[in-house]
Amino acid sequence: TGYSLYVTQAFARTVNPDAVLVPWYLVRLRGGAADVPRFQAQARALGVPYAADVDTAADAIQASIRPQVTGWWILAGLAALAGIVVIASALARQAAVEAESYATLSALGVTRPQRVALGMATTLIVAVGGAIAGVALAFALSPLTPVGEARLADPSAGFAFDVFVLLPGAAAAVAVVLALGLWPAIGTARVRQPETTLPARASRIVALLARAGAPPSMLIGARRAVERGHGRTAVPVGPALLGSVLAVTALCATAVFGASLGHLIGTPALYGQPFDLWLTPGSPAQFAQLTADTEHDSAISDISIGGSVAVSIDGRIVQASAGRSLRGPVLVTAVNGHLPAADDQVAMGAATLRQLGAHVGSLIRVTAPRPQGPPRTAWYQVTGTIVFPPDFGTGGLGAGAVFTLDGLLSPQCARDPAQQACQLRAVASAGGDILVRAVPGPRGQAALSRLARAYPGEVNYPVPPTNLVNFGQAVNFPALFGLAVTVFGVATLMHVLAVSVARRRREAGLLKALGFVRRQVASAVSWQTTIIAAAGILVGVPAGVAGGRLAWRAFADGLGVLPVPIMAAWVIAAVAAGTLLAANTLALGPALAAARAHPAALLRAE
């Protein structure tokens, strides 16, 4: 990684008297961005080695931070969705518990609207308390933001209380919780008739376990996990099962997304660098020397050359490259379609295609400058989507376009007897680069090391995009989302266990009176959590794998890189095993509490 240090000339002479001072000029064009292609062409004709468009650099900075912005929004949205499911199920169970006293209140003259208002008052207390805690937590964590690469551009100033974000967010949270609690409050405010003595029909799962000879504790745990119950023993189990499925789905999807992101960062070809290194000659003479040197080395398997120039495509300035292969395939990654094979074809980055409103197969109008004479305008057909390396000056991943040499830089070379020499001159005059890939093994590594020693100032190695590194490692969005989902899943399971044990005290007392020992009572609670977790695994694993693959493809397509979803089987197995282990660990407390209770106390309490 390179860094820039801005010093005075006096400092440079003091530290290194032999330092070479290279002048830089900052210019503002009368025609703005529209004059950039012509200015670059004329500057290169005068021998200027490098003329950069600062707007492109600014676009690259924004593109590097954009995945973080998108990631935070996705994380917030998914966390909010998981929170809504957890809160809704918790409010439904809590309303069912509180409804036990509604018959008595109705007999005392409390009307149904008053009972609804009573339930909503409890919900309001929960909503306001949660909003206050959320605002306090956000304020306490504010010194940690922004994170990743965005922190370099906007350093943290310590604690920050953003009134226009926190207060509307708190108000929205209170409104959502009240809306979620309204329907349970209305439903439970109705005074029900005394429950009948008709036996409840057992679920198919419990019936299958009974026919298979399952022990009584397993049958009771399965019934508690999948059957709602009736009257005072009713426990809404549907939200608990749904929460388990959603938690496992989200964890598996996160695992697939994280593995795919790690594979992308570790595979340069996927983000536009299918080469081992690239050379940036400082002059046309050095360009010719480096080209000849690499061509004479048989350990270099693939060589591509290319030059860059700003062009106008349908009125939008785009940093384009024109290249060709000297050996092997052209070292540019194609996401879909194919690279241009004719002079009237072009391949473009996904972001550039979206900006232009074009697609593979579209015809676009390209105006390219020439050092002398008027610019050249022609129609080109889009043949594919490509991805450029982030440090190639095209404006970041997904930006830029690639043409053939004869299609953009040197149409005059088609009639030149020394066609290749003419093309080399055209590429060198456009600040050309040389991309090389060596044969596998020690022989190829030796050839790359030789180039690095011979041309230390011109050799560049593939560098992972900082936006992907920040997204996946520095900020680690997949892990953050997995943590958020785990917290919600734990809260859901703990609440359903607490409510289930509390509302089924009489059942536990009867079981102990009939001869159940402590181990069997605790085992019933453990089986309840195991079956809830198993249902989540059975449905959530395939749904999570499919969802993770779809999410990764959508993310990679939006970023403009080659989408290759990866599924680590051992990670999925670890998620399944960890879900069962965590569920039974969480059940220890309620199971021990139910096992230690005395049957006389349980039955007398009823």
Side-chain angles (χ1 to χ4, degrees), residues 494-508:
M494 289 299 295
H495 191 266
V496 74
L497 287 176
V499 172
S500 178
V501 171
R503 290 180 65 81
R504 288 168 174 168
R505 295 187 300 269
R506 182 174 61 180
E507 180 183 287

Side-chain angles (χ1 to χ4, degrees), residues 40 113 162 213 378 573:
Q40 289 183 338
D162 194 332

Side-chain angles (χ1 to χ4, degrees), residues 155-311:
S156 173
F159 290 97
F161 191 91
D162 194 332
V163 176
F164 298 102
V165 173
L166 295 180
L167 294 186
V174 172
V176 169
V177 174
L178 289 176
L180 294 175
L182 180 60
W183 181 252
I186 294 175
T188 56
R190 180 171 58 90
V191 177
R192 293 171 174 79
Q193 299 297 324
E195 53 185 292
T196 63
T197 58
L198 293 177
R201 182 178 179 181
S203 69
R204 293 183 178 180
I205 295 177
V206 177
L208 288 174
L209 291 175
R211 286 196 293 269
S217 58
M218 179 186 292
L219 294 176
I220 293 172
R223 182 176 59 80
R224 291 176 177 177
V226 299
E227 294 181 5
R228 174 185 173 86
H230 297 278
R232 301 176 63 186
T233 63
V235 177
V237 296
L241 293 171
L242 177 61
S244 175
V245 169
L246 291 178
V248 176
T249 298
L251 289 175
C252 290
T254 300
V256 172
F257 192 97
S260 302
L261 180 59
H263 179 67
L264 172 64
I265 296 175
T267 311
L270 299 181
Y271 55 81
Q273 302 190 25
F275 45 83
D276 294 320
L277 56 84
W278 52 289
L279 303 160
T280 54
S283 64
Q286 191 179 41
F287 184 90
Q289 177 186 352
L290 284 171
T291 303
D293 193 355
T294 54
E295 283 190 290
H296 289 138
D297 192 337
S298 60
I300 303 298
S301 59
D302 306 289
I303 307 171
S304 297
I305 60 171
S308 61
V309 61
V311 299

Side-chain angles (χ1 to χ4, degrees), residues 3 398 426 525 534:
Y3 296 91
V525 177

Side-chain angles (χ1 to χ4, degrees), residues 192-490:
R192 293 171 174 79
Q193 299 297 324
E195 53 185 292
T196 63
T197 58
L198 293 177
R201 182 178 179 181
S203 69
R204 293 183 178 180
I205 295 177
V206 177
L208 288 174
L209 291 175
R211 286 196 293 269
S217 58
M218 179 186 292
L219 294 176
I220 293 172
R223 182 176 59 80
R224 291 176 177 177
V226 299
E227 294 181 5
R228 174 185 173 86
H230 297 278
R232 301 176 63 186
T233 63
V235 177
V237 296
L241 293 171
L242 177 61
S244 175
V245 169
L246 291 178
V248 176
T249 298
L251 289 175
C252 290
T254 300
V256 172
F257 192 97
S260 302
L261 180 59
H263 179 67
L264 172 64
I265 296 175
T267 311
L270 299 181
Y271 55 81
Q273 302 190 25
F275 45 83
D276 294 320
L277 56 84
W278 52 289
L279 303 160
T280 54
S283 64
Q286 191 179 41
F287 184 90
Q289 177 186 352
L290 284 171
T291 303
D293 193 355
T294 54
E295 283 190 290
H296 289 138
D297 192 337
S298 60
I300 303 298
S301 59
D302 306 289
I303 307 171
S304 297
I305 60 171
S308 61
V309 61
V311 299
S312 174
I313 302 180
D314 291 343
R316 180 181 292 272
I317 303 302
V318 176
Q319 291 294 326
S321 295
R324 59 157 293 189
S325 170
L326 299 182
R327 181 185 299 164
V330 177
L331 296 177
V332 176
T333 299
V335 178
N336 57 52
H338 60 85
L339 297 175
D343 296 346
D344 60 349
Q345 296 179 349
V346 59
M348 309 175 71
T352 302
L353 279 176
R354 287 194 297 268
Q355 291 171 355
L356 296 171
H359 55 83
V360 176
S362 296
L363 288 176
I364 58 174
R365 189 169 181 266
V366 179
T367 300
R370 288 187 285 195
Q372 292 85 25
R376 175 176 175 268
T377 300
W379 288 90
Y380 293 79
Q381 184 179 32
V382 180
T383 62
T385 305
I386 49 93
V387 52
F388 277 113
D391 49 359
F392 264 38
T394 60
L397 293 174
V402 63
F403 299 81
T404 64
L405 279 181
D406 286 334
L408 183 62
L409 281 182
S410 54
Q412 67 276 9
C413 290
R415 300 180 180 87
D416 195 307
Q419 185 179 19
Q420 180 165 337
C422 177
Q423 290 181 338
L424 291 178
R425 289 195 303 270
V427 173
S429 65
D433 297 320
I434 305 171
L435 315 178
V436 300
R437 182 165 59 192
V439 297
R443 182 163 162 261
Q445 291 301 317
L448 298 176
S449 299
R450 181 188 65 80
L451 288 175
R453 290 192 303 269
Y455 309 100
E458 291 75 26
V459 169
N460 305 275
Y461 292 96
V463 178
T466 54
N467 53 353
L468 296 180
V469 173
N470 276 293
F471 184 85
Q473 296 176 359
V475 182
N476 211 341
F477 282 97
L480 287 176
F481 177 62
L483 177 62
V485 170
T486 300
V487 171
F488 286 132
V490 168

Side-chain angles (χ1 to χ4, degrees), residues 33-138:
D35 285 346
V36 169
R38 187 162 56 92
F39 176 83
Q40 289 183 338
Q42 293 179 357
R44 285 168 177 163
L46 296 174
V48 176
Y50 186 72
D53 178 13
V54 295
D55 288 339
T56 301
D59 292 341
I61 294 174
Q62 292 181 359
S64 67
I65 298 177
R66 190 174 300 117
Q68 293 186 35
V69 177
T70 304
W72 281 118
W73 279 112
I74 293 175
L75 179 63
L78 293 177
L81 179 61
I84 287 173
V85 173
V86 172
I87 294 172
S89 60
L91 291 175
R93 287 189 295 269
Q94 191 63 32
V97 172
E98 294 175 350
E100 292 181 3
S101 61
Y102 282 0
T104 303
L105 293 176
S106 177
L108 294 175
V110 179
T111 64
R112 186 178 183 184
Q114 290 175 322
R115 295 194 295 272
V116 172
L118 179 61
M120 291 302 297
T122 304
T123 303
L124 178 62
I125 295 174
V126 173
V128 173
I132 294 175
V135 170
L137 181 62

